[in-house]
Amino acid sequence: MRRFPTILIIVAAVVFVVGGLRLFWNSEHQRYRAVDTVLKQQSNVRINETIEHAKGPIAREEWTLSNINGVSTAAYNALNRAGTRIARFTYPIHGYDVTFAFQKLVLDGIWELHSRPLRGNTNDVYTVSIAQTAGDRSGSHTFVFADPHYLATSAGREYSIHLDRNKPVPDLLTLNSTSTADDRYQKVVDDFQSFGPPGFRHSVSTARADALHA
């Protein structure tokens, strides 16, 4: 008689566990499948900056940051003006440096910026591109500009003209202006220049020196 309550409690616990499994199995199984699908999806990010130099021994430099399904690398290429030597290397990036760089560039407007007329100091022309794939979705964007400091500080103004036939002369014409300066171009350039662990920075310095003295 003393053992009856114990058996009853055990049976009730088993019924409770089985009922709970049946109740939550479907939702938990769907969550597992959703997470597994995300983990198996292709995830690629590639960010590139190319600088064409009109003067100096280096004619072209290129930085490429990529994260392919969680594997990150940074690459640097340099071509001297004689075209006789190319400095080139790919550096493995451990950790989340490329992910952080991608997030910083997105915050600084890499998807929103567009090509601008080549004004100011046009000795260095920048081409920046980004391409991203996440599962079955993908997108890319490229823009060209020169003198990011000029664009950030002295890019000039845009004028819009509004003609109102109902206003008497001399108020027939209204001229409005807005500044076209945008410091995000400088931020994007700075993001590339400041990227990387000490080993990558040292490799870039060595590669640039080789290109300069080739």
Side-chain angles (χ1 to χ4, degrees):
M1 296 297 293
R2 295 179 180 178
R3 298 176 59 184
F4 178 75
T6 303
I7 295 174
L8 184 61
I9 292 173
I10 293 174
V11 171
V14 170
V15 171
F16 176 79
V17 170
V18 172
L21 288 175
R22 294 185 62 183
L23 179 63
F24 296 108
W25 168 255
N26 187 49
S27 61
E28 290 300 318
H29 182 62
Q30 290 179 352
R31 286 181 58 189
Y32 170 80
R33 292 183 60 183
V35 171
D36 187 60
T37 299
V38 171
L39 290 175
K40 291 180 179 179
Q41 282 183 341
Q42 186 180 23
S43 176
N44 299 337
V45 173
R46 180 183 174 91
I47 315 165
N48 181 273
E49 179 191 60
T50 300
I51 308 177
E52 301 284 350
H53 301 286
K55 298 180 179 179
I58 297 180
R60 186 174 186 269
E61 293 182 275
E62 181 179 13
W63 286 260
T64 302
L65 313 180
S66 64
N67 184 296
I68 310 300
N69 294 323
V71 179
S72 297
T73 59
Y76 174 80
N77 298 328
L79 175 66
N80 67 9
R81 196 155 303 281
T84 58
R85 183 185 180 97
I86 296 177
R88 174 180 297 171
F89 72 88
T90 299
Y91 192 93
I93 303 296
H94 303 291
Y96 300 97
D97 284 3
V98 171
T99 301
F100 292 151
F102 168 73
Q103 293 174 343
K104 184 69 165 59
L105 284 162
V106 170
L107 287 174
D108 289 338
I110 193 171
W111 286 107
E112 290 82 23
L113 296 176
H114 298 282
S115 296
R116 297 287 293 266
L118 303 183
R119 296 172 181 169
N121 184 350
T122 59
N123 288 331
D124 299 328
V125 176
Y126 298 79
T127 301
V128 173
S129 64
I130 180 172
Q132 181 181 18
T133 298
D136 59 353
R137 296 181 300 174
S138 63
S140 62
H141 180 56
T142 300
F143 55 99
V144 181
F145 61 96
D147 199 345
H149 179 72
Y150 168 81
L151 292 176
T153 59
S154 309
R157 306 188 69 84
E158 288 183 348
Y159 293 89
S160 60
I161 299 175
H162 174 67
L163 296 176
D164 190 344
R165 61 185 299 174
N166 297 319
K167 287 188 176 181
V169 178
D171 296 328
L172 179 66
L173 183 147
T174 301
L175 190 65
N176 297 318
S177 69
T178 56
S179 174
T180 60
D182 193 334
D183 63 351
R184 293 181 297 173
Y185 291 90
Q186 184 66 65
K187 289 180 179 179
V188 167
V189 171
D190 292 343
D191 290 341
F192 276 98
Q193 296 299 318
S194 62
F195 171 81
F200 176 73
R201 291 170 179 267
H202 176 73
S203 298
V204 170
S205 297
T206 302
R208 295 187 87 253
D210 290 343
L212 285 169
H213 296 94

